């Protein structure tokens, strides 16, 4: 009896940390702001054939429609209800996407914005993506429904009602993140409405969730919600499979709230990863690739099986969130291929590839004042479809980093070497490194500007200024 009981418990726990991807598929891609119809097509025509395990989608629930600035990308982080209509598509399109992606073994991970509703100064009306009425002033969201009783304001002790001090733990959890109406997650009613929303997505076929702004929710409240979640839909997943959970907790050190406080719920986003790798790839502060020999927990990151890792994300690629100027993005294509290539070659963490859109950056005093600009749009405000060029790149200002040859190949490399140990490290003491993954894969990087990388055959295998990752 004992052993079975233990296995059952392990099975219960193991689920939240397991991405549920099909065997041999070891990465997901964040198709940021893509339309559901385009994601369905991409699952079938590209992600499945190239070994991607899944796709993170933008928040699928009804959000505030903001006129000034005009429909910023971040309006999708201001919920009005849990109805499934957004500029990515309606419920029918959402269902079609999940079914078609699941049918080709590419699973869907939804961005769950459940810490808050819209901004406190959003006014009142029906300017929302399903047309639902709301009143931010009175905290009335009849389409859920939520009323003023379901929000935290009375609990918040800061002067403004917003989070003012990240050293004050109750403030970070109970006050408004940039004035967003903060939900009272200790209330069973609020927990039940959120669990109802997430279970609705699970019934449709979703495989897991990114928990937005998890740092701003008490770990116990998050757990209480997760404990109400169903097992995954057995139409695509084995009986008893649990939703994969990765919580957005920005922890660069120096704050009382840490990623490890959330390990009981699932994985956490390891923001130190992108920030530190960016420093190394930029060769700033004396950082060099030779130092990557002990990459991972050796650099103070969370344990590998609790980490969701990425080079950049939708926030820090445009100066939001964490990571600062060290973050490498698609705007620096040469460095970006190297950073993503290294991430996919190294065994640490569960990897997420970013897929972005180009926006008209405009720097004033070193700050991009166009960081708010939403996805490529038609004149009526609808999101442009993702067109595919003859050379397999994307049009309409969709960057499609996941389709870049070096990145696609490294997604496949990671699949091929899955489970193989990090071994045979070599470096030149500077920015030329090489390592294998067991006897299944071998990779070389040359990020030195001044020297060829000579191999045994004494030829200049990898000339400088052309960082190369040979899989
Ligand atoms: C502003 C002021 C407030 C003021 C308010 C009054 O900052 O002090 O009270 O106006 O109107 C947008 C605007 C922001 C505005 C806010 C409320 O940018 O200027 O407040 O709306 O109107 C995204 C964007 C935010 C955006 C938010 C809501 O990044 O700029 O705010 O969506 O639209 C921390 C958190 C971390 C968070 C990160 C950005 O710990 O969890 O900040 N990351 C996640 C998401 C991120 C999203 C949110 C959380 C909120 O990844 O995309 O913020 O859901 O580090
Ligand atoms: Ca909160």
């Amino acid at each position: 009896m004992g052993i079975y009981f233990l296995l059952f418990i392990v099975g219960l726990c193991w689920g939240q940390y397991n991405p549920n991807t099909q065997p041999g598929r070891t990465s997901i891609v964040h198709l940021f702001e893509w339309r559901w119809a385009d994601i369905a097509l991409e699952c079938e025509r590209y992600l499945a054939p190239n070994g991607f395990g899944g796709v993170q989608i933008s928040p699928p629930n009804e959000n505030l429609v903001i006129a000034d600035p005009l429909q910023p990308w971040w309006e999708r982080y201001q919920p009005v209800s849990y109805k499934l209509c957004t500029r990515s598509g309606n419920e029918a399109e959402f269902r079609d996407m999940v079914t078609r992606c699941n049918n080709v073994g590419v699973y869907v991970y939804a961005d769950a914005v459940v810490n808050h509703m819209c901004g406190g100064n959003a006014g009142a009306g029906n300017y929302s993506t399903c047309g639902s009425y709301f009143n931010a002033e009175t905290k009335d969201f009849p389409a859920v429904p939520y009323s003023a009783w379901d929000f935290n304001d009375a609990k918040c002790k800061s002067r403004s009602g917003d989070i003012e001090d990240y050293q004050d733990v109750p403030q970070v959890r109970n006050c408004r993140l940039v004035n967003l109406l903060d939900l009272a997650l200790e209330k069973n009613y609020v927990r039940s409405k959120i669990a109802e929303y997430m279970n609705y997505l699970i019934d449709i076929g979703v495989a897991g969730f990114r928990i937005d702004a998890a740092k701003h929710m008490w770990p116990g409240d998050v757990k209480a919600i997760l404990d109400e979640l169903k097992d995954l839909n057995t139409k695509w997943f084995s009986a008893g499979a649990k939703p994969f959970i990765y919580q957005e907790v920005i922890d660069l050190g120096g704050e009382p709230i840490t990623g490890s406080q959330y390990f009981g719920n699932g994985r956490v986003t390891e923001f130190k990863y992108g920030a530190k790798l960016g420093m190394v790839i930029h060769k700033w502060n004396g950082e060099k690739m030779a130092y990557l020999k002990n990459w991972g927990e050796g650099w103070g990151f969370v344990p590998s099986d609790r980490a969701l890792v990425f080079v950049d994300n939708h926030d820090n690629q445009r100066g939001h969130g964490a990571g600062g100027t060290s973050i490498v993005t698609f705007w620096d294509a040469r460095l970006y291929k190297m950073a993503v290539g290294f991430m996919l070659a190294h065994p640490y963490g569960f990897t997420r590839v970013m897929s972005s859109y180009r926006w008209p950056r405009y720097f004033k005093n070193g700050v991009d004042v166009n960081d708010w600009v939403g996805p490529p749009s038609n004149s009526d405000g609808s999101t442009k479809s993702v067109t595919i060029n003859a050379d397999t790149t994307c049009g309409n200002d969709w960057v499609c980093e996941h389709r870049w040859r070096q990145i696609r190949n490294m997604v496949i490399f990671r699949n091929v070497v899955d489970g193989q140990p990090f071994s045979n490290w070599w470096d030149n003491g500077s920015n030329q490194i090489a390592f294998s993954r067991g006897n299944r894969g071998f990779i070389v990087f040359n990020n030195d500007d001044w020297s060829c990388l000579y191999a045994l055959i004494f030829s200049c295998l990898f000339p400088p200024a052309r960082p190369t990752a040979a899989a």
Side-chain angles (χ1 to χ4, degrees):
M1 175 58 183
I3 186 69
Y4 296 115
F5 178 71
L6 177 67
L7 282 178
F8 174 72
I9 289 293
V10 166
L12 258 184
C13 300
W14 173 240
Q16 305 120 324
Y17 310 104
N18 174 358
N20 295 313
T21 50
Q22 287 206 331
R25 294 185 182 190
T26 58
S27 297
I28 62 174
V29 57
H30 181 193
L31 295 181
F32 180 55
E33 284 283 5
W34 279 43
R35 298 163 58 248
W36 306 146
D38 288 325
I39 293 178
L41 287 168
E42 191 72 349
C43 283
E44 294 165 340
R45 69 191 170 201
Y46 198 84
L47 300 180
N50 287 290
F52 286 80
V55 53
Q56 176 181 314
I57 62 170
S58 287
N61 61 291
E62 180 176 26
N63 60 265
L64 182 70
V65 173
I66 295 173
D68 178 20
L70 181 58
Q71 289 221 262
W73 61 268
W74 39 258
E75 67 175 25
R76 293 187 75 160
Y77 288 89
Q78 299 203 29
V80 165
S81 81
Y82 301 131
K83 291 180 184 172
L84 300 183
C85 37
T86 62
R87 63 180 159 200
S88 287
N90 60 32
E91 176 160 347
E93 289 161 325
F94 181 83
R95 287 177 175 273
D96 183 53
M97 166 190 68
V98 175
T99 297
R100 289 166 58 187
C101 288
N102 282 355
N103 285 346
V104 294
V106 178
Y107 299 136
V108 176
Y109 304 88
D111 197 347
V113 184
V114 294
N115 170 66
H116 53 266
M117 299 301 277
C118 66
N121 65 328
N126 300 74
Y127 33 96
S128 52
T129 44
C130 295
S132 300
Y133 176 80
F134 67 92
N135 185 328
E137 203 62 38
T138 59
K139 290 173 257 186
D140 187 23
F141 294 87
V144 179
Y146 284 144
S147 70
W149 302 107
D150 301 316
F151 293 87
N152 267 335
D153 287 328
K155 278 210 291 294
C156 170
K157 301 290 180 252
S158 78
R159 191 186 38 76
S160 64
D162 279 9
I163 297 167
E164 296 166 355
D165 176 6
Y166 273 77
Q167 297 300 321
D168 179 334
V169 173
Q171 224 186 84
V172 176
R173 275 47 183 281
N174 298 335
C175 294
R176 297 179 183 186
L177 170 62
V178 290
N179 193 38
L180 298 167
L181 296 173
D182 205 56
L183 284 166
L185 298 180
E186 86 284 357
K187 289 186 65 176
N188 287 334
Y189 172 74
V190 174
R191 291 174 176 180
S192 69
K193 295 311 289 180
I194 292 170
E196 180 186 8
Y197 163 54
M198 295 172 81
N199 278 326
Y200 192 75
L201 299 184
I202 288 173
D203 284 345
I204 292 173
V206 156
F209 300 94
R210 169 192 185 262
I211 308 292
D212 177 68
K215 179 187 222 179
H216 304 283
M217 299 182 267
W218 295 94
D221 288 345
V222 175
K223 180 164 184 353
I225 293 166
L226 298 180
D227 286 348
E228 290 188 43
L229 297 189
K230 298 179 174 180
D231 294 346
L232 299 185
N233 189 321
T234 51
K235 184 173 178 186
W236 295 286
F237 303 97
S238 48
K242 302 289 176 202
F244 177 43
I245 300 296
Y246 53 106
Q247 304 157 96
E248 188 220 9
V249 180
I250 296 183
D251 171 9
L252 295 178
E255 292 180 21
I257 295 177
T258 61
S260 61
Q261 293 158 6
Y262 291 82
F263 287 171
N265 297 334
R267 291 188 185 237
V268 295
T269 50
E270 179 50 276
F271 276 83
K272 295 186 188 109
Y273 191 98
K276 295 284 187 186
L277 187 55
M279 296 296 279
V280 171
I281 298 290
H282 278 117
K283 298 185 273 192
W284 288 349
N285 290 4
E287 293 290 3
K288 54 182 84 168
M289 291 194 86
Y291 294 158
L292 295 173
K293 184 173 185 177
N294 65 338
W295 184 249
E297 291 91 339
W299 279 58
F301 303 161
V302 299
S304 178
D305 63 2
R306 293 292 179 271
L308 186 285
V309 297
F310 44 96
V311 169
D312 63 325
N313 78 344
H314 71 278
D315 279 328
N316 62 24
Q317 70 171 191
R318 49 176 49 79
H320 286 232
T325 55
S326 78
I327 297 297
V328 186
T329 72
F330 69 88
W331 293 106
D332 305 307
R334 189 176 72 82
L335 296 180
Y336 193 63
K337 291 169 193 170
M338 200 172 336
V340 178
F342 178 81
M343 173 182 80
L344 293 166
H346 195 280
Y348 177 82
F350 183 70
T351 46
R352 181 182 65 194
V353 172
M354 181 70 201
S355 190
S356 319
Y357 59 80
R358 221 167 271 107
W359 71 93
R361 295 194 299 180
Y362 183 70
F363 289 94
K364 270 189 185 163
N365 306 324
V367 176
D368 175 14
V369 295
N370 280 344
D371 66 321
W372 58 269
V373 173
S377 302
N378 301 304
S379 52
D380 65 357
S382 61
T383 298
K384 283 188 178 175
S385 58
V386 179
T387 52
I388 306 298
N389 302 319
D391 65 357
T392 76
T393 59
C394 295
N396 275 349
D397 273 331
W398 297 99
V399 179
C400 287
E401 300 96 313
H402 68 287
R403 282 174 165 255
W404 291 5
R405 175 173 52 81
Q406 297 84 349
I407 293 177
R408 180 210 55 224
N409 285 348
M410 286 310 293
V411 166
I412 296 169
F413 178 99
R414 188 177 192 79
N415 292 340
V416 169
V417 303
D418 187 28
Q420 294 294 317
F422 175 72
S423 37
N424 297 309
W425 174 269
W426 170 88
D427 66 68
N428 70 339
S430 178
N431 289 285
Q432 297 177 0
I433 65 171
F435 59 90
S436 79
R437 292 289 306 278
N439 60 4
R440 299 267 294 156
F442 179 72
I443 194 158
V444 185
F445 293 88
N446 180 5
N447 195 18
D448 274 333
D449 301 328
W450 38 260
S451 83
C452 278
L453 192 157
Y454 288 92
L456 291 180
I457 49 177
F458 300 111
S459 79
C460 182
L461 256 188
F462 299 105
R466 191 168 63 80
T468 311

